[in-house]
Amino acid sequence: MKVLKFGGTSVGTAQNIKKVIAILQKESLSSPIVCVVSAVGGITDKLLQAGELAKQKNKSYLTVFDKIKSIHFKVIEDLVNNPKSILKEVDATFENLKQLLNGIYLINELSPKTSDKLVSYGELLSSFIIAEVMEDLNLNTVLKNSQELIITNNNFTKAEVNYDVTNKNIVDYFNKANQLITILPGFVSKSQSGETTTLGRGGSDFTAAIVAAALKVDQLEIWTDVSGMYTTNPKLVKQAYPIANLSYQEAMELSHFGAKVLYPPTVQPVLNLSIPIHIKNTLHPEAFGTIISNQKKENHLTVKGISHIDNVALLTLEGSGMVGIPGFSKRLFETLANEKINIIFITQASSEHSICFGIDINNAEQAEQAINNAFEYEISLHKINPIIVEKGLSIIALIGDNMKSHQGISGKLFSTLGKNNINVRAIAQGASEKNISAVINQSDVKKALNSLHERFFEVNTKQLNVFITGIGNVGEKLIDQIKQQHNFLKKNLKLDVKIVGMSNSRKMIFNPNGIDLNNWTEPFHHADKSSIEGFYQKVIDLNLRNSIFVDVTANKNVSAIYDSYLKQSVAVVACNKIACSDKYANYKNLQDLSLKYNAPFLYETNVGAGLPIINTLNNLVASGDKVISIQAVLSGSLNFVFNNFSDKKNFHDTVKQAQFEGYTEPDPRIDLSGIDVARKILILARENGIPMEIEDITNDSFLTEANLNSDSVDDFYDTLINDEAHFQKLYASAQANNCQLKYVAEYKNGKAKVGLQEVPEGHPFYNLEGKDNIVMFYTQRYPEQPLIVKGAGAGADVTASGLFADIIRIGNK
Ligand code: ADP
Ligand code: ASP
Ligand code: MG
């Protein structure tokens, strides 16, 4: 004999019921079967909703009633060719239900006892309909009301089973029964005095387990809408997958901590008899599912699953009067037991100064009152404080029998939560170490489950959620590069880089599952209006793990919001150099926030675009080398200008050409004045640990007073024409000395300067071409022959690749 239980979704539509019947037919070929059914999906909730409305004297309970009725009628009409006779009987049942609801409406009250009577209609109806359909198909079927078998106490809504009577009833009945298939309604039972009771929400699983244990069957099958017990709730974590084998303890812990696929008490009756529970998917019967048994199966995973419970209230009782006084906890927990309040979670600080426990949020007020009453005397003496109640919380739990023999699991748990800016309010770990649980904000649950799942089950792939601001030349190149490298990174570096948000100064779009990079321009043009603050808010609201904000603008206001991102543990990658070259205090603050919130702040492209300059310097310093001096040509624009300027080509036209070809800022004065180079050497000095300000840098400008004092770009170009002789003089002098003009940045002994220099032949700067940059690091380890980084120091492609490299570095962290 086998016991099969089908859940609400499995019997939720005519189409699914047909699948159930096919499974029953197949399975009954090998042995007689007992089939326990839930109410049609969603009906229990609707019955309770109708009852609540009626109790509140809200007439719309009738609308809900009509809906419940029409759902059932539709199922019947879709299933049976000639539904008349079934409909007649079902109609009579609905009349009774309506009268019950009218009664609740009239007396304005819904007691637990009436509530059980009300919800029992769900299973009674579904089992009746399915049995009728099976008979209609001439299958050897009988319907038995499990209320005649399962006898409980009077604890309405979650009654306790009297196993002596129940087991005897079941054995006696099935000894005499000779049908191949017996249909039983799940969830419903009766008290000794004959009142309708139920076994608790989700209790049809329990019905099946009770019957399976009483009949000592070989296997209990729970058929549902997912392919087994998953590593975590598959509705919240897309990457979750079914666990093939679990021990009873693991299954119990997982279900107790919210894996709703199995009702927790289900395990107990079958555990004692070692009857395996097989969880299967009605919609995909071919899937293996999960087998729960006490057979030890080899499994390399120490953490088997991650569960969570929402709607938790955390209550804390504290005060000096608790220390060392025996019986304190007993009084506390007795108070809760008397109120029939279930405790989900307990921790106590070792100082005994406080006890903290988690309960269902619906019991919070009742618990608060009862405890404050129970300890009224101690509270009046200020020996303890009135109980503190916090709401809006959830518990997440790592479950696995083998966690006790592995160290470092809680470390991984908390570092993963910490890295993702998820605040842990309380923790508990039983000595058996089958479960480590943490209380967190409910709004963080999805992020917590996803990041923990990634850490414990997808060891290999890490998802990076990228938000790009500044979709111009460089931004578009970055998007292209990410698109092109996506599969490579996933395969080789186990990084799944998703662009979740994009914005420019006008538009912004988001897709939490990743924007389709093959088709983003069209949606982007029709996107919402953007703002710096609005973009930030959306990043925070999405609350995704491994979030990275990428600033591809040159906008001061964008750089002013980095601190907010870092404080939310969102990493920042910037090619915008304003933040790092602004006041030292601001730079330092961002570095500190990055450390404090474990959120990387990377800006390799601030100096030399994609060239690995900052990274090289950081590595030198971190590995204990000391920088003696830095000499560099860091302006692609100035390099271009002085490589093209000569006695045959005037200075004005050369600068115009540089601007035209995109080698200068829109305002070429920023480049020509040397400010841009000064900012870059400032950043290098700071990376070398020197708290320098931009004013500390000596800037010997080669421009004339008139150039520097021009009040517009046009005016500036006019002054260049007027001062041509000045520039020709610089050129002639360099020629006479057999030198090249280079705009050089230097750092030495904590001081920095920038300015035009005549570079002699043979010097590494002499032959620097086009828009190339070069940096020479003289250090203790490289005292004579410097470490040189050289290459294209400007351009959209290389800048984008520098940003991309920063993103990948964060992923590899
Ligand atoms: P049924 O109506 O068949 O009893 P339930 O809705 O009670 O089904 O339970 C199945 C649901 O449990 C799944 O659809 C899924 O959303 C939820 N669930 C939560 N955690 C898990 C988990 N770890 N594994 C599988 N399902 C889970
Ligand atoms: N129908 C009941 C409920 O929704 C029992 C069950 O489905 O297991 O809670
Ligand atoms: Mg269920």
Side-chain angles (χ1 to χ4, degrees):
M1 180 103 86
K2 256 191 225 170
V3 176
L4 284 75
K5 175 258 169 177
F6 291 88
T9 315
S10 306
V11 296
T13 59
Q15 204 189 9
N16 287 353
I17 292 177
K18 283 182 188 157
K19 291 188 176 137
V20 171
I21 292 172
I23 293 166
L24 291 175
Q25 272 180 301
K26 189 164 164 223
E27 297 235 8
S28 62
L29 291 178
S30 49
S31 77
I33 54 181
V34 180
C35 164
V36 176
V37 293
S38 285
V40 170
I43 291 299
T44 312
D45 285 339
K46 287 202 165 57
L47 286 165
L48 286 171
Q49 187 195 0
E52 256 324 295
L53 289 168
K55 177 183 127 183
Q56 291 161 8
K57 288 250 167 236
N58 184 335
K59 279 262 185 198
S60 54
Y61 78 90
L62 288 168
T63 320
V64 182
F65 169 82
D66 288 340
K67 179 80 192 154
I68 296 172
K69 189 168 166 182
S70 72
I71 291 173
H72 284 90
F73 274 43
K74 170 132 183 46
V75 168
I76 297 167
E77 280 157 7
D78 288 350
L79 274 175
V80 189
N81 290 330
N82 192 357
K84 253 200 190 138
S85 70
I86 305 184
L87 285 180
K88 197 165 158 223
E89 253 188 84
V90 172
D91 211 20
T93 310
F94 272 106
E95 265 320 297
N96 294 338
L97 172 59
K98 196 172 187 175
Q99 273 178 22
L100 178 62
L101 286 167
N102 291 344
I104 298 169
Y105 178 83
L106 286 175
I107 61 169
N108 205 347
E109 191 183 287
L110 178 59
S111 66
K113 181 168 147 183
T114 314
S115 173
D116 269 356
K117 179 116 196 99
L118 180 63
V119 287
S120 72
Y121 276 86
E123 268 68 8
L124 293 175
L125 275 161
S126 66
S127 56
F128 173 76
I129 295 167
I130 290 169
E132 287 291 315
V133 175
M134 306 266 290
E135 272 170 42
D136 196 50
L137 292 169
N138 285 325
L139 296 169
N140 187 355
T141 311
V142 67
L143 170 68
K144 174 73 183 167
N145 186 344
S146 28
Q147 292 180 292
E148 290 159 22
L149 304 174
I150 300 180
I151 307 302
T152 67
N153 65 7
N154 256 339
N155 198 354
F156 294 104
T157 73
K158 200 172 180 180
E160 282 135 41
V161 178
N162 179 333
Y163 282 101
D164 291 339
V165 184
T166 301
N167 287 346
K168 184 170 181 309
N169 287 345
I170 295 171
V171 171
D172 287 352
Y173 174 76
F174 282 97
N175 270 342
K176 287 192 212 109
N178 49 13
Q179 265 84 8
L180 201 51
I181 302 172
T182 308
I183 309 278
L184 297 180
F187 183 49
V188 293
S189 43
K190 222 168 217 163
S191 72
Q192 256 126 345
S193 52
E195 306 286 356
T196 292
T197 54
T198 63
L199 301 173
R201 291 305 308 271
S204 294
D205 298 349
F206 193 23
T207 305
I210 294 165
V211 176
L215 298 178
K216 300 193 171 56
V217 299
D218 298 330
Q219 176 152 307
L220 165 62
E221 293 180 7
I222 304 285
W223 290 79
T224 182
D225 61 347
V226 284
S227 299
M229 208 166 214
Y230 279 57
T231 44
T232 190
N233 188 340
K235 301 253 158 77
L236 296 179
V237 178
K238 271 211 313 233
Q239 281 83 353
Y241 56 85
I243 315 163
N245 292 284
L246 283 171
S247 72
Y248 290 113
Q249 283 71 23
E250 286 169 334
M252 229 168 347
E253 290 284 342
L254 278 167
S255 62
H256 178 68
F257 275 86
K260 171 178 175 234
V261 65
L262 193 69
Y263 180 54
T266 308
V267 177
Q268 206 58 49
V270 293
L271 163 76
N272 300 334
L273 298 166
S274 300
I275 299 171
I277 305 173
H278 196 166
I279 302 179
K280 295 277 290 173
N281 189 343
T282 306
L283 314 176
H284 297 284
E286 70 292 347
F288 178 81
T290 297
I291 294 187
I292 301 164
S293 68
N294 50 19
Q295 273 208 319
K296 280 258 169 276
K297 284 271 186 253
E298 265 317 300
N299 186 325
H300 66 284
L301 291 175
T302 37
V303 177
K304 286 292 196 60
I306 312 168
S307 278
H308 77 105
I309 310 180
D310 285 337
N311 301 321
V312 171
L314 197 63
L315 281 76
T316 309
L317 191 62
E318 52 186 18
S320 56
M322 288 164 62
V323 182
I325 298 179
F328 210 94
S329 330
K330 177 168 173 269
R331 269 174 72 200
L332 172 63
F333 295 124
E334 228 164 41
T335 308
L336 293 167
N338 290 340
E339 298 287 320
K340 292 200 163 52
I341 293 173
N342 185 31
I343 302 168
I344 317 170
F345 174 103
I346 310 174
T347 64
Q348 177 171 23
S350 60
S351 71
E352 290 185 43
H353 192 77
S354 78
I355 301 180
C356 166
F357 57 94
I359 58 175
D360 187 314
I361 208 162
N362 294 317
N363 298 326
E365 264 140 50
Q366 192 190 347
E368 183 178 13
Q369 241 173 37
I371 295 167
N372 283 343
N373 284 342
F375 292 96
E376 198 178 359
Y377 178 65
E378 287 83 352
I379 294 174
S380 73
L381 294 180
H382 300 291
K383 285 192 174 258
I384 64 168
N385 307 328
I387 191 136
I388 304 165
V389 182
E390 292 165 275
K391 296 182 180 169
L393 301 170
S394 294
I395 297 176
I396 47 161
L398 296 185
I399 313 287
D401 282 348
N402 296 329
M403 295 201 305
K404 60 178 171 300
S405 46
H406 285 77
Q407 56 284 80
I409 291 177
S410 28
K412 270 194 198 174
L413 165 71
F414 296 116
S415 69
T416 307
L417 296 178
K419 234 182 247 165
N420 285 286
N421 199 24
I422 296 165
N423 194 15
V424 176
R425 306 301 322 284
I427 47 184
Q429 174 176 340
S432 71
E433 251 192 79
K434 289 180 194 312
N435 174 328
I436 309 174
S437 1
V439 177
I440 61 173
N441 284 333
Q442 189 154 331
S443 53
D444 283 331
V445 162
K446 193 166 179 198
K447 182 169 164 188
L449 291 180
N450 276 282
S451 35
L452 291 172
H453 195 267
E454 190 170 84
R455 186 78 203 261
F456 287 100
F457 295 99
E458 303 156 46
V459 220
N460 290 322
T461 9
K462 184 167 174 185
Q463 183 174 315
L464 302 182
N465 295 301
V466 177
F467 298 85
I468 303 177
T469 277
I471 305 297
N473 229 341
V474 178
E476 285 191 18
K477 284 275 189 300
L478 177 61
I479 293 168
D480 280 350
Q481 290 178 10
I482 293 178
K483 179 174 98 183
Q484 194 198 325
Q485 283 305 95
H486 183 262
N487 291 344
F488 175 89
L489 290 177
K490 202 161 175 187
K491 185 156 169 253
N492 295 290
L493 293 185
K494 307 289 182 210
L495 290 178
D496 183 5
V497 185
K498 291 202 151 89
I499 301 183
V500 177
M502 295 178 187
S503 73
N504 60 15
S505 54
R506 280 157 283 123
K507 306 267 178 198
M508 59 181 191
I509 48 167
F510 296 89
N511 182 343
N513 298 320
I515 294 165
D516 176 5
L517 299 187
N518 290 311
N519 169 34
W520 65 269
T521 41
E522 184 62 21
F524 189 69
H525 283 124
H526 298 106
D528 296 340
K529 210 168 149 334
S530 74
S531 69
I532 295 171
E533 181 55 35
F535 194 76
Y536 165 77
Q537 204 46 55
K538 187 76 191 186
V539 175
I540 302 312
D541 290 347
L542 281 171
N543 201 10
L544 298 173
R545 66 197 186 284
N546 306 324
S547 289
I548 304 175
F549 172 67
V550 185
D551 178 7
V552 200
T553 71
N555 184 319
K556 192 171 166 80
N557 297 332
V558 177
S559 74
I561 200 168
Y562 297 170
D563 59 341
S564 305
Y565 279 106
L566 295 172
K567 281 181 198 159
Q568 297 291 333
S569 294
V570 173
V572 175
V573 168
C575 66
N576 181 348
K577 49 179 148 325
I578 296 176
C580 286
S581 56
D582 195 7
K583 292 268 160 274
Y584 179 77
N586 183 40
Y587 164 87
K588 179 76 173 52
N589 179 41
L590 295 176
Q591 306 293 341
D592 292 347
L593 290 175
S594 163
L595 274 181
K596 180 168 174 195
Y597 293 95
N598 211 343
F601 171 39
L602 300 181
Y603 36 85
E604 179 61 87
T605 45
N606 279 195
V607 182
L611 295 177
I613 295 172
I614 294 181
N615 204 12
T616 304
L617 175 57
N618 291 157
N619 288 341
L620 290 173
V621 174
S623 64
D625 202 353
K626 296 266 175 303
V627 174
I628 300 166
S629 73
I630 302 172
Q631 289 182 26
V633 175
L634 292 171
S635 168
S637 349
L638 286 170
N639 211 29
F640 179 91
V641 167
F642 286 107
N643 279 344
N644 286 282
F645 170 57
S646 69
D647 48 0
K648 312 216 166 43
K649 185 158 183 196
N650 74 37
F651 197 71
H652 167 272
D653 293 356
T654 315
V655 176
K656 268 268 160 182
Q657 187 194 347
Q659 181 172 15
F660 179 75
E661 293 193 15
Y663 292 136
T664 70
E665 301 280 331
D667 182 346
R669 289 173 297 179
I670 296 180
D671 296 301
L672 275 93
S673 65
I675 280 286
D676 192 55
V677 176
R679 283 178 181 162
K680 289 175 183 168
I681 194 76
L682 173 70
I683 294 170
L684 293 184
R686 287 176 173 177
E687 290 296 300
N688 191 36
I690 310 296
M692 194 182 275
E693 300 288 358
I694 193 88
E695 299 80 26
D696 300 333
I697 297 175
T698 315
N699 184 352
D700 294 329
S701 183
F702 66 88
L703 295 178
T704 65
E705 283 297 312
N707 304 151
L708 289 170
N709 293 334
S710 58
D711 10 274
S712 68
V713 174
D714 288 342
D715 185 23
F716 174 66
Y717 275 114
D718 289 345
T719 63
L720 291 186
I721 294 177
N722 296 340
D723 289 335
E724 177 64 15
H726 163 74
F727 299 111
Q728 284 301 337
K729 217 160 108 196
L730 295 174
Y731 177 78
S733 161
Q735 285 289 305
N737 296 328
N738 208 8
C739 288
Q740 288 276 359
L741 286 171
K742 297 287 166 198
Y743 200 83
V744 177
E746 281 182 298
Y747 164 83
K748 194 169 186 177
N749 293 334
K751 300 218 156 37
K753 62 176 184 186
V754 296
L756 196 64
Q757 290 189 9
E758 291 183 0
V759 174
E761 206 173 347
H763 190 282
F765 293 174
Y766 185 86
N767 284 322
L768 201 64
E769 301 200 355
K771 55 185 191 293
D772 279 5
N773 280 195
I774 182 167
V775 183
M776 304 198 295
F777 293 104
Y778 288 92
T779 71
Q780 274 178 357
R781 290 184 196 142
Y782 299 92
E784 264 122 47
Q785 287 301 321
L787 190 161
I788 298 181
V789 183
K790 180 180 164 190
D797 241 334
V798 287
T799 307
S801 75
L803 289 165
F804 197 8
D806 276 347
I807 294 172
I808 293 168
R809 268 173 67 205
I810 293 174
N812 284 335
K813 247 191 121 179

